[in-house]
């Protein structure tokens, strides 16, 4: 279980806070992906102006028109995140590495959503949570996760 109580293992508490920061960032963004279908948006928009991205969206379960595949994808992602967090929270080092990678990955996804919105001059799914908490949240989470290393110097 992912608990923030430090108890007898203070290093686990720090690890769990890292996972909480990264997890909240992921949950905020994935909730928008769950609610707003990227495939339906693409039907209305016509194109992202990038043919390879149009093809990717049409095949991605997280972008599906139907809520069911989007919900299943988000649930599986959540279970995966909780499983990895539970296992990795025993090590502050691995928690830092994995949550940093997750946070940077979401920063890349946020950037991608913003580029698509800019290229299409439209409010694409994922744009709102790419702005807030989005990129600022990713930067803050990354600095929080790495506060004892790169962001404090």
């Amino acid at each position: 279980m992912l608990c923030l109580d430090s108890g007898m293992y203070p290093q686990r508490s720090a690890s769990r806070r890292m996972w909480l920061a990264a997890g909240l960032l992921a949950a905020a963004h994935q909730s928008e992906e769950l609610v707003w279908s990227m495939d339906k948006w693409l039907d209305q928009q016509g194109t992202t102006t990038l043919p390879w991205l149009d093809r990717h969206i049409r095949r991605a379960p997280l972008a599906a028109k139907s809520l069911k595949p989007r919900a299943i994808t988000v649930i599986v992602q959540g279970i995966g995140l909780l499983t990895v967090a539970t296992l990795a929270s025993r090590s502050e080092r691995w928690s830092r590495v994995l949550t940093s990678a997750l946070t940077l990955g979401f920063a890349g996804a946020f950037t991608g959503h913003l580029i698509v919105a800019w290229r299409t001059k439209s409010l694409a799914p994922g744009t709102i949570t790419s702005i807030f908490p989005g990129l600022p949240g990713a930067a803050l989470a990354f600095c929080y996760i790495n506060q004892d290393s790169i962001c404090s110097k």
Side-chain angles (χ1 to χ4, degrees):
M1 184 165 100
L2 200 59
C3 174
L4 296 179
D5 178 32
S6 60
M8 295 177 13
Y9 306 100
Q11 75 280 6
R12 285 192 184 175
S13 181
S15 295
R16 289 177 177 144
R17 286 191 302 269
M18 291 177 207
W19 282 104
L20 181 64
L24 288 173
L25 187 67
H29 187 65
Q30 294 308 86
S31 63
E32 185 179 8
E33 298 272 2
L34 176 64
V35 172
W36 195 1
S37 168
M38 188 73 149
D39 202 14
K40 283 184 183 175
W41 169 84
L42 188 56
D43 283 347
Q44 295 167 351
Q45 186 63 33
T47 182
T48 62
T49 71
L50 301 167
W52 61 268
L53 184 57
D54 293 348
R55 287 189 302 275
H56 170 72
I57 290 170
R58 298 283 185 210
R59 291 189 307 257
L62 190 56
K65 288 182 177 96
S66 172
L67 178 62
K68 187 176 179 179
R70 294 194 318 267
I72 290 170
T73 303
V74 169
I75 289 167
V76 169
Q77 288 174 336
I79 291 169
L81 180 68
L82 286 174
T83 301
V84 171
T86 300
L87 295 173
S89 67
R90 297 178 182 149
S91 165
E92 188 172 332
R93 178 175 178 241
W94 277 109
S95 289
R96 187 176 319 282
V97 167
L98 293 171
T99 55
S100 292
L102 181 66
T103 303
L104 291 173
F106 268 95
F110 298 146
T111 303
H113 281 285
L114 294 172
I115 289 170
V116 167
W118 174 73
R119 286 180 64 101
T120 61
K121 309 290 188 266
S122 70
L123 185 63
T127 303
I128 295 167
T129 55
S130 293
I131 296 168
F132 183 80
L135 287 174
L140 290 172
F142 186 81
C143 283
Y144 175 77
I145 291 164
N146 293 285
Q147 63 188 329
D148 297 330
S149 53
I150 58 175
C151 291
S152 62
K153 296 179 181 178

